[in-house]
Amino acid sequence: MVERDRNLYLFVSSRPTGETPTEDPVATITTKIGNEVARTFHAWLHNQGRDVEPANIWAHGAVGFIWAVADRWIVTNLRRPGPRWSPTSTSSSHQHSKPNKGVETMTISPTGEALRRALDGPFHAIKQRWRDEVTADDVVRDTALSMEDARAWTLDGVVRLAHRQFVTAGFPTAQGGTGTAADSVANFEMVAMGDLSLTIKSGVQHGLFGGAIVNLGTQWHHETFLPDAISVDLPGCFAMTELGHGSDVQSIETSITWDPETSEFVVHSPPHGHEGLHR
């Protein structure tokens, strides 16, 4: 039926959009089919003199398996597997093929796509762009790198993502921003799917450092510093750690005061029990 009339299959097996019905029609149909198959399994096991208890689990498992296979077959355009895709194939080209270095294409069932869109919510376009364009090479670090090389890779990764406008939301559009603060959180979530050092580096550069300029700076600060902060031509940091308090920002006792007579910042960190330590 799937091959002959896929639209009929999708009509029968897909949940309606809009208001949630009192009774889930898809669950009802598959449950009824599973129950009918269970009766057949039950009768066969009984006639064989075997335990009939597994009949129900086997039946509903088979129905779910076939449903998943049918969905997968549809998203691959009903392509029939040939010898090249056979799990028992021993051709040298199959055994020694190398993975594609570009973006890998992954197909999901209509049900999976609907679930993805529901979970993505209003940020589906942002997250889908990450899935379509970002590869493992962009966000997964080689664990064999030395500390120095890892730090260089992390900084370079933030620069590359910024230049491709993946981590530039939350800034004024006049200075090169590409979205809202909420969009920046969605981007941050996607960065975290890869290397967490890259996530923190991006968060400090664009969230803490860049965010401080956005929220505490004047128009002059925005125009002077934000374009280079966004592109990472101006790398930034954020002092929020003090020995004795860790990153408990509300309890930090260090003060920084501008001295107009010397045009200098005077840093004072109370020494009682600890020395000030900043990053």
Side-chain angles (χ1 to χ4, degrees):
M1 182 188 78
V2 178
E3 185 174 20
R4 185 177 63 253
D5 194 338
R6 77 169 71 184
N7 290 329
L8 176 60
Y9 167 78
L10 290 173
F11 175 78
V12 172
S13 63
S14 300
R15 290 174 172 81
T17 58
E19 184 177 351
T20 302
T22 303
E23 183 180 30
D24 187 338
V26 175
T28 302
I29 292 172
T30 55
T31 299
K32 289 180 178 179
I33 294 174
N35 289 339
E36 289 298 322
V37 175
R39 293 189 183 95
T40 302
F41 283 179
H42 185 283
W44 182 85
L45 290 170
H46 178 74
N47 292 336
Q48 297 294 319
R50 299 184 179 182
D51 182 10
V52 298
E53 186 175 354
N56 190 58
I57 296 176
W58 290 355
H60 287 276
V63 171
F65 172 78
I66 294 172
W67 187 12
V69 169
D71 280 355
R72 175 69 64 171
W73 195 24
I74 285 177
V75 298
T76 57
N77 294 319
L78 307 183
R79 184 178 61 199
R80 293 181 176 274
R84 188 162 61 93
W85 294 287
S86 170
T88 58
S89 172
T90 56
S91 66
S92 58
S93 61
H94 175 76
Q95 287 180 324
H96 300 289
S97 61
K98 295 182 179 180
N100 182 10
K101 287 293 184 180
V103 178
E104 294 184 3
T105 301
M106 182 183 72
T107 56
I108 61 175
S109 69
T111 303
E113 176 62 23
L115 179 60
R116 170 183 283 178
R117 287 180 175 273
L119 293 174
D120 287 348
F123 307 106
H124 176 71
I126 293 175
K127 295 185 176 182
Q128 192 58 47
R129 182 177 173 236
W130 278 83
R131 300 183 186 110
D132 292 340
E133 300 181 26
V134 176
T135 68
D137 289 339
D138 294 316
V139 294
V140 178
R141 173 174 50 89
D142 182 354
T143 57
L145 291 177
S146 66
M147 181 181 295
E148 182 178 350
D149 289 340
R151 287 173 173 171
W153 176 89
T154 302
L155 177 58
D156 181 64
V158 175
V159 172
R160 286 186 286 106
L161 289 175
H163 286 183
R164 294 165 64 187
Q165 297 186 329
F166 277 109
V167 288
T168 55
F171 296 102
T173 55
Q175 279 74 52
T178 56
T180 66
D183 293 339
S184 71
V185 176
N187 283 319
F188 190 74
E189 178 184 345
M190 298 305 289
V191 180
M193 298 295 176
D195 184 80
L196 293 183
S197 292
L198 183 64
T199 307
I200 298 302
K201 191 76 170 179
S202 173
V204 171
Q205 175 68 27
H206 295 105
L208 297 179
F209 175 61
I213 299 174
V214 170
N215 294 293
L216 302 178
T218 65
Q219 186 65 30
W220 179 85
H221 293 98
H222 290 182
E223 295 173 354
T224 303
F225 299 114
L226 277 183
D228 286 345
I230 294 172
S231 67
V232 203
D233 288 334
L234 176 65
C237 62
F238 192 88
M240 60 177 286
T241 301
E242 183 179 63
L243 192 63
H245 289 135
S247 296
D248 182 3
V249 179
Q250 292 184 346
S251 299
I252 283 180
E253 300 174 354
T254 299
S255 63
I256 302 177
T257 306
W258 172 253
D259 186 345
E261 294 183 1
T262 62
S263 296
E264 295 176 335
F265 287 104
V266 179
V267 180
H268 175 68
S269 187
H272 53 278
H274 58 82
E275 294 86 18
L277 180 65
H278 311 278
R279 68 179 179 192

Short mmCIF file of all heavy atoms in Angstrom, two decimals, residues 125-151:
data_model
loop_
_atom_site.label_atom_id
_atom_site.label_comp_id
_atom_site.label_asym_id
_atom_site.label_seq_id
_atom_site.Cartn_x
_atom_site.Cartn_y
_atom_site.Cartn_z
N ALA A 125 14.11 27.62 12.27
CA ALA A 125 14.93 28.05 11.13
C ALA A 125 16.39 28.21 11.56
O ALA A 125 17.31 27.83 10.81
CB ALA A 125 14.39 29.37 10.56
N ILE A 126 16.61 28.76 12.74
CA ILE A 126 17.98 28.95 13.23
C ILE A 126 18.66 27.60 13.43
O ILE A 126 19.79 27.36 12.97
CB ILE A 126 17.97 29.73 14.56
CG1 ILE A 126 17.50 31.16 14.33
CG2 ILE A 126 19.36 29.72 15.20
CD1 ILE A 126 17.35 31.97 15.60
N LYS A 127 17.98 26.69 14.13
CA LYS A 127 18.58 25.40 14.44
C LYS A 127 18.75 24.54 13.19
O LYS A 127 19.73 23.79 13.07
CB LYS A 127 17.74 24.68 15.49
CG LYS A 127 17.73 25.40 16.83
CD LYS A 127 16.99 24.61 17.90
CE LYS A 127 17.08 25.32 19.24
NZ LYS A 127 16.41 24.56 20.32
N GLN A 128 17.82 24.66 12.25
CA GLN A 128 17.94 23.87 11.03
C GLN A 128 19.11 24.34 10.20
O GLN A 128 19.77 23.53 9.52
CB GLN A 128 16.64 23.94 10.22
CG GLN A 128 16.57 22.93 9.09
CD GLN A 128 16.72 21.50 9.58
OE1 GLN A 128 16.10 21.10 10.56
NE2 GLN A 128 17.56 20.72 8.91
N ARG A 129 19.39 25.63 10.23
CA ARG A 129 20.56 26.13 9.50
C ARG A 129 21.84 25.53 10.07
O ARG A 129 22.76 25.17 9.32
CB ARG A 129 20.62 27.66 9.57
CG ARG A 129 21.80 28.22 8.79
CD ARG A 129 21.86 29.72 8.78
NE ARG A 129 23.12 30.15 8.17
CZ ARG A 129 24.01 30.93 8.73
NH1 ARG A 129 23.80 31.42 9.94
NH2 ARG A 129 25.13 31.24 8.11
N TRP A 130 21.92 25.39 11.38
CA TRP A 130 23.07 24.72 11.98
C TRP A 130 23.18 23.29 11.47
O TRP A 130 24.25 22.82 11.09
CB TRP A 130 22.93 24.71 13.50
CG TRP A 130 23.35 25.96 14.18
CD1 TRP A 130 22.61 27.10 14.35
CD2 TRP A 130 24.62 26.23 14.79
NE1 TRP A 130 23.33 28.04 15.03
CE2 TRP A 130 24.58 27.53 15.32
CE3 TRP A 130 25.79 25.47 14.96
CZ2 TRP A 130 25.64 28.11 15.99
CZ3 TRP A 130 26.86 26.05 15.63
CH2 TRP A 130 26.79 27.35 16.13
N ARG A 131 22.07 22.57 11.46
CA ARG A 131 22.09 21.17 11.02
C ARG A 131 22.49 21.05 9.56
O ARG A 131 23.17 20.10 9.17
CB ARG A 131 20.71 20.55 11.24
CG ARG A 131 20.23 20.55 12.68
CD ARG A 131 18.88 19.84 12.81
NE ARG A 131 18.35 19.96 14.16
CZ ARG A 131 17.29 20.69 14.48
NH1 ARG A 131 16.62 21.34 13.53
NH2 ARG A 131 16.86 20.75 15.72
N ASP A 132 22.06 22.02 8.75
CA ASP A 132 22.32 21.94 7.32
C ASP A 132 23.75 22.34 6.95
O ASP A 132 24.31 21.82 5.99
CB ASP A 132 21.33 22.85 6.56
CG ASP A 132 19.90 22.34 6.62
OD1 ASP A 132 19.72 21.13 6.90
OD2 ASP A 132 18.98 23.16 6.42
N GLU A 133 24.33 23.28 7.70
CA GLU A 133 25.58 23.89 7.25
C GLU A 133 26.80 23.61 8.12
O GLU A 133 27.94 23.71 7.65
CB GLU A 133 25.40 25.41 7.13
CG GLU A 133 24.32 25.83 6.14
CD GLU A 133 24.19 27.34 6.05
OE1 GLU A 133 25.18 28.04 6.33
OE2 GLU A 133 23.09 27.81 5.70
N VAL A 134 26.60 23.28 9.39
CA VAL A 134 27.73 23.08 10.30
C VAL A 134 28.10 21.61 10.34
O VAL A 134 27.24 20.73 10.50
CB VAL A 134 27.39 23.59 11.71
CG1 VAL A 134 28.53 23.29 12.68
CG2 VAL A 134 27.13 25.09 11.66
N THR A 135 29.38 21.32 10.22
CA THR A 135 29.86 19.94 10.25
C THR A 135 30.62 19.68 11.54
O THR A 135 30.91 20.60 12.32
CB THR A 135 30.79 19.66 9.06
OG1 THR A 135 32.01 20.41 9.23
CG2 THR A 135 30.12 20.04 7.74
N ALA A 136 30.98 18.42 11.75
CA ALA A 136 31.75 18.06 12.94
C ALA A 136 33.09 18.76 12.95
O ALA A 136 33.61 19.10 14.02
CB ALA A 136 31.93 16.53 13.00
N ASP A 137 33.66 18.99 11.77
CA ASP A 137 34.94 19.69 11.70
C ASP A 137 34.85 21.10 12.28
O ASP A 137 35.84 21.65 12.76
CB ASP A 137 35.42 19.78 10.25
CG ASP A 137 35.86 18.42 9.71
OD1 ASP A 137 36.17 17.54 10.53
OD2 ASP A 137 35.86 18.24 8.48
N ASP A 138 33.65 21.68 12.26
CA ASP A 138 33.48 23.05 12.75
C ASP A 138 33.40 23.11 14.28
O ASP A 138 33.80 24.12 14.87
CB ASP A 138 32.19 23.66 12.18
CG ASP A 138 32.25 23.85 10.68
OD1 ASP A 138 33.29 24.31 10.19
OD2 ASP A 138 31.25 23.54 10.00
N VAL A 139 32.86 22.06 14.90
CA VAL A 139 32.55 22.19 16.33
C VAL A 139 33.09 21.05 17.20
O VAL A 139 32.87 21.06 18.42
CB VAL A 139 31.02 22.27 16.54
CG1 VAL A 139 30.46 23.56 15.93
CG2 VAL A 139 30.31 21.05 15.95
N VAL A 140 33.78 20.08 16.62
CA VAL A 140 34.31 18.96 17.41
C VAL A 140 35.83 19.00 17.35
O VAL A 140 36.43 18.93 16.28
CB VAL A 140 33.79 17.61 16.90
CG1 VAL A 140 34.40 16.47 17.72
CG2 VAL A 140 32.27 17.56 16.99
N ARG A 141 36.44 19.12 18.52
CA ARG A 141 37.90 19.26 18.61
C ARG A 141 38.57 17.89 18.66
O ARG A 141 38.07 16.96 19.28
CB ARG A 141 38.25 20.05 19.87
CG ARG A 141 39.72 20.13 20.20
CD ARG A 141 39.97 21.06 21.37
NE ARG A 141 39.11 20.75 22.51
CZ ARG A 141 39.45 19.87 23.47
NH1 ARG A 141 40.58 19.21 23.40
NH2 ARG A 141 38.62 19.66 24.48
N ASP A 142 39.72 17.80 18.02
CA ASP A 142 40.54 16.60 18.09
C ASP A 142 41.11 16.49 19.50
O ASP A 142 41.86 17.37 19.96
CB ASP A 142 41.68 16.69 17.06
CG ASP A 142 42.56 15.44 17.03
OD1 ASP A 142 42.36 14.55 17.88
OD2 ASP A 142 43.45 15.37 16.17
N THR A 143 40.77 15.44 20.22
CA THR A 143 41.20 15.29 21.61
C THR A 143 42.70 15.07 21.76
O THR A 143 43.23 15.15 22.86
CB THR A 143 40.45 14.13 22.28
OG1 THR A 143 40.68 12.92 21.52
CG2 THR A 143 38.96 14.41 22.34
N ALA A 144 43.39 14.81 20.65
CA ALA A 144 44.84 14.60 20.71
C ALA A 144 45.62 15.91 20.67
O ALA A 144 46.84 15.91 20.84
CB ALA A 144 45.29 13.70 19.56
N LEU A 145 44.93 17.04 20.48
CA LEU A 145 45.63 18.32 20.41
C LEU A 145 46.25 18.66 21.77
O LEU A 145 45.70 18.36 22.82
CB LEU A 145 44.66 19.42 20.01
CG LEU A 145 44.10 19.41 18.58
CD1 LEU A 145 43.10 20.55 18.40
CD2 LEU A 145 45.22 19.52 17.56
N SER A 146 47.39 19.32 21.71
CA SER A 146 48.00 19.83 22.94
C SER A 146 47.15 20.98 23.46
O SER A 146 46.27 21.50 22.76
CB SER A 146 49.42 20.31 22.66
OG SER A 146 49.39 21.44 21.79
N MET A 147 47.42 21.40 24.70
CA MET A 147 46.64 22.50 25.27
C MET A 147 46.79 23.76 24.43
O MET A 147 45.80 24.47 24.16
CB MET A 147 47.08 22.78 26.71
CG MET A 147 46.28 23.90 27.38
SD MET A 147 46.79 24.24 29.08
CE MET A 147 46.33 22.70 29.88
N GLU A 148 48.01 24.04 24.00
CA GLU A 148 48.24 25.24 23.20
C GLU A 148 47.49 25.17 21.87
O GLU A 148 46.85 26.14 21.44
CB GLU A 148 49.74 25.41 22.94
CG GLU A 148 50.09 26.66 22.14
CD GLU A 148 51.59 26.82 21.94
OE1 GLU A 148 52.37 26.07 22.58
OE2 GLU A 148 51.99 27.69 21.14
N ASP A 149 47.56 24.02 21.22
CA ASP A 149 46.87 23.85 19.94
C ASP A 149 45.35 23.86 20.13
O ASP A 149 44.62 24.36 19.28
CB ASP A 149 47.31 22.56 19.26
CG ASP A 149 48.74 22.63 18.75
OD1 ASP A 149 49.24 23.75 18.57
OD2 ASP A 149 49.35 21.55 18.54
N ALA A 150 44.88 23.29 21.24
CA ALA A 150 43.45 23.27 21.51
C ALA A 150 42.92 24.69 21.71
O ALA A 150 41.82 25.03 21.24
CB ALA A 150 43.16 22.42 22.75
N ARG A 151 43.69 25.51 22.41
CA ARG A 151 43.28 26.90 22.60
C ARG A 151 43.23 27.65 21.27
O ARG A 151 42.32 28.44 21.02
CB ARG A 151 44.24 27.59 23.57
CG ARG A 151 44.06 27.14 25.02
CD ARG A 151 45.14 27.72 25.93
NE ARG A 151 44.86 27.41 27.32
CZ ARG A 151 45.71 27.63 28.32
NH1 ARG A 151 46.91 28.15 28.06
NH2 ARG A 151 45.38 27.34 29.56
#
